[in-house]
Amino acid sequence: LGVYEMGYDLVCRACGRHTKQDVFRCPHCNGILDCRFDLEDPPRYRSILQGAKGFWDYRPFFPVAGERPVSLGEGNTPLVAAPRLASQLGMQGVYVKNEGMNPSGTFKDRCQSIAYTKAQEMAAPATIIGSAGNAGAAAAAYAAASGIPCFVVVPADTNMERLAQTLQYGANLIRVQGNVSDCIELLETVCKERGWQDMTTAHSHNPFQGEGTKTIAYELARDMEWDVPDWIIVPIGGGGILSSIYKGYQEMYTLGLIPRMPKMAGVQEAGCAAVAEAFEKGAAPQAIQRVQNPTGVAVAIKDAYPLDGETALQAIYDSGGVAARVTAGQIAQAQGELGRSCGVFAEPASAATVAALFKLREAGVVQKEDRAVCIITGNGLKDAGFALQQILQPPAIPMSQAALNAQIDQLLGN
């Protein structure tokens, strides 16, 4: 199927030209491309969204033919009510969207399902991706499902615990002396010379993959019975998830399925906060500055330069939202609170959303009558070492009833 037959075209952010070609950058000026869907039959598209039960039921909103989708059962992740968190915060409602329940443990599976379906349709000989770990693991999983060779380029200091999945899925792992932004910047020439496809989850490298992430918005609307939360709080690494969720809500608003738009809150760790710094200065989205020597415990969002930061910051501005930064200590505290209060184990980058909610509530940005959704982008098992650093190892007791009862009494404070 051609681009227009499938209900979308590619539009260049720089020159504004449309193209019918399946390309990764604008053929006229090499600008970044976005998928734009015509949505010219509102009753049809409303019906699709209202009737969808799984990720691939949204196929008309994807830039692929999708006759043979590369799927591992992504999407349809749980929206978990968190009344104990809401009580602590003095809020009307708090929810967590647990993307850690995706097949490889992060929301990146939504991106890679689309990206590998597209790669399969375009007969890509091989794929390559720059990643801090999560996107690489997802790419490796979907590469295994598709049979397309995959090369994953990661910072050399990435914890091998985060890379175990990638290796188990059979991808070719390349460790580079540099940060994740450095890794991503290496790929353009390789792709041109070898004819490979870049699966990096940023619009500047792959304009198709982000259309999978907007399904988080569709699922939130469905599960909240087409009502809209006041706030959606999202971690920012590259920034693509925030802008994609916002795009999903924009599409539903255009179709008349929802009555209003949510406010978007973007969260970064203090040592790597390019978007938050730009927001604090009131800077234009295109004026985001690269962070020199980024630091932090939230590895999954330690992007020195957020490749989709411009669209993320624009979505924050357009929605009347906010960008915030949190510390490693606040992340650790929020991770524990999230686990204890609602049984969700989040990786540090995801726990940052809960830390930010506490911070924004204390500052009066989030009001008591508000309802907020924290997007938990990845499973805590991705970085179990961080969680282990925050807890004390329980002692080993003798194998006896008396010792067991004594330990129980101690734990009860008796």
Side-chain angles (χ1 to χ4, degrees):
L1 293 175
V3 170
Y4 280 92
E5 292 175 283
M6 288 160 55
Y8 78 96
D9 54 359
L10 294 168
V11 183
C12 179
R13 293 182 191 174
C15 70
R17 294 187 186 180
H18 295 225
T19 179
K20 299 180 181 181
Q21 308 300 316
D22 275 336
V23 290
F24 289 77
R25 295 296 289 255
C26 177
H28 305 288
C29 72
N30 200 42
I32 298 172
L33 296 170
D34 290 309
C35 296
R36 184 175 299 171
F37 292 78
D38 56 45
L39 305 181
E40 290 179 355
D41 187 354
R44 173 177 177 256
Y45 285 109
R46 283 197 297 268
S47 176
I48 291 165
L49 290 174
Q50 290 171 321
K53 293 181 172 58
F55 181 82
W56 277 96
D57 291 339
Y58 298 117
R59 190 191 65 77
F61 291 84
F62 296 156
V64 294
E67 294 174 0
R68 291 188 302 118
V70 180
S71 176
L72 292 171
E74 57 288 330
N76 255 359
T77 55
L79 178 64
V80 181
R84 292 168 65 187
L85 272 180
S87 179
Q88 288 183 55
L89 288 157
M91 290 178 60
Q92 180 179 342
V94 176
Y95 305 84
V96 294
K97 177 67 166 168
N98 191 2
E99 287 293 291
M101 299 299 286
N102 276 298
S104 81
T106 73
F107 83 95
K108 298 289 188 178
D109 293 347
R110 297 178 188 263
C111 306
Q112 298 300 347
S113 181
I114 299 298
Y116 274 90
T117 299
K118 194 68 178 179
Q120 184 174 259
E121 292 174 359
M122 295 176 69
T127 60
I128 191 166
I129 182 171
S131 169
N134 287 343
Y142 285 82
S146 70
I148 301 172
C150 177
F151 292 77
V152 179
V153 182
V154 301
D157 62 357
T158 305
N159 191 320
M160 286 303 296
E161 182 182 73
R162 293 182 63 79
L163 302 177
Q165 276 182 293
T166 298
L167 294 169
Q168 285 289 327
Y169 295 141
N172 302 283
L173 187 68
I174 301 171
R175 299 168 67 225
V176 171
Q177 299 288 345
N179 60 49
V180 66
S181 297
D182 298 326
C183 292
I184 291 169
E185 288 165 5
L186 285 174
L187 306 185
E188 184 176 359
T189 300
V190 172
C191 289
K192 285 182 179 178
E193 290 178 349
R194 297 178 182 270
W196 293 359
Q197 284 193 13
D198 189 340
M199 312 307 268
T200 300
T201 51
H203 278 72
S204 55
H205 288 252
N206 189 313
F208 307 107
Q209 49 75 36
E211 300 305 304
T213 313
K214 68 185 181 182
T215 58
I216 294 174
Y218 303 159
E219 291 175 13
L220 284 175
R222 179 198 65 194
D223 293 345
M224 299 185 82
E225 298 181 343
W226 307 101
D227 198 1
V228 179
D230 300 283
W231 291 92
I232 297 178
I233 306 176
V234 188
I236 294 178
I241 181 173
L242 189 150
S243 51
S244 290
I245 290 174
Y246 192 66
K247 180 177 182 178
Y249 272 102
Q250 284 179 311
E251 290 176 345
M252 290 186 289
Y253 185 77
T254 298
L255 292 169
L257 273 173
I258 56 173
R260 59 188 175 87
M261 294 290 291
K263 295 177 183 177
M264 305 299 296
V267 188
Q268 296 185 291
E269 191 173 356
C272 189
V275 175
E277 183 173 343
F279 177 83
E280 290 161 6
K281 293 178 178 178
Q286 61 269 25
I288 294 171
Q289 298 294 310
R290 186 187 185 100
V291 174
Q292 302 300 322
N293 303 314
T295 61
V297 299
V299 179
I301 56 172
K302 198 164 67 173
D303 294 42
Y305 182 76
L307 290 172
D308 285 318
E310 184 176 330
T311 53
L313 185 54
Q314 189 64 59
I316 289 169
Y317 284 148
D318 289 348
S319 69
V322 66
R325 59 176 94 195
V326 294
T327 66
Q330 290 169 327
I331 288 172
Q333 185 176 354
Q335 186 186 49
E337 196 58 56
L338 183 60
R340 289 187 297 270
S341 67
C342 54
V344 173
F345 186 23
E347 69 174 345
S350 300
T353 61
V354 177
L357 181 56
F358 274 92
K359 182 175 181 177
L360 295 172
R361 179 74 185 97
E362 184 178 355
V365 176
V366 173
Q367 305 294 313
K368 65 180 181 180
E369 64 270 16
D370 288 345
R371 292 181 304 155
V373 176
C374 293
I375 307 297
I376 304 305
T377 50
N379 195 298
L381 293 173
K382 291 279 189 173
D383 198 353
F386 177 79
L388 287 171
Q389 293 171 15
Q390 316 307 318
I391 60 177
L392 295 174
Q393 182 175 340
I397 63 171
M399 178 64 72
S400 73
Q401 193 69 50
L404 176 59
N405 277 314
Q407 185 67 16
I408 290 172
D409 287 338
Q410 182 178 336
L411 292 169
L412 290 172
N414 297 335

